[in-house]
Amino acid sequence: MSEASSAEASVRERLAAFEGYQLNAALLEGSEAKVMHCLPAHREEEITDDVIESDRAIVWQQAENRMHAQNGWLVEYVG
């Protein structure tokens, strides 16, 4: 087996292992839960596009908050 086909097989095995653990609309049905993700998201693998782009997703606010925290750390310890 070539190195490339071995890597592809490894990816397929990892994706198969996480099958059923995707955050999707069916999982959230009937819930008022907000959705967070630390990004980068593997869309359509970990989380579906319709969920990450929905009104319940606070992913982008979470990313902005993290950016401000990281900037504060840089100013304090580096700058």
Side-chain angles (χ1 to χ4, degrees):
M1 182 180 286
S2 75
E3 196 171 314
S5 60
S6 176
E8 290 171 9
S10 176
V11 168
R12 283 193 302 273
E13 287 173 16
R14 282 185 276 137
L15 288 175
F18 286 103
E19 195 170 314
Y21 291 95
Q22 181 186 64
L23 185 55
N24 56 44
L27 183 65
L28 296 170
E29 190 173 326
S31 168
E32 293 183 24
K34 297 291 185 184
V35 175
M36 298 177 80
H37 195 290
C38 61
L39 298 180
H42 293 220
R43 289 174 176 239
E44 299 304 323
E45 292 175 14
E46 304 172 334
I47 186 169
T48 57
D49 283 333
D50 60 328
V51 170
I52 202 166
E53 298 294 341
S54 71
D55 291 339
R56 64 176 35 197
I58 55 174
V59 172
W60 313 117
Q61 295 92 327
Q62 180 186 6
E64 182 181 4
N65 290 341
R66 185 175 59 248
M67 178 193 67
H68 293 302
Q70 291 168 338
N71 286 340
W73 186 91
L74 286 170
V75 167
E76 181 70 25
Y77 296 103
V78 178

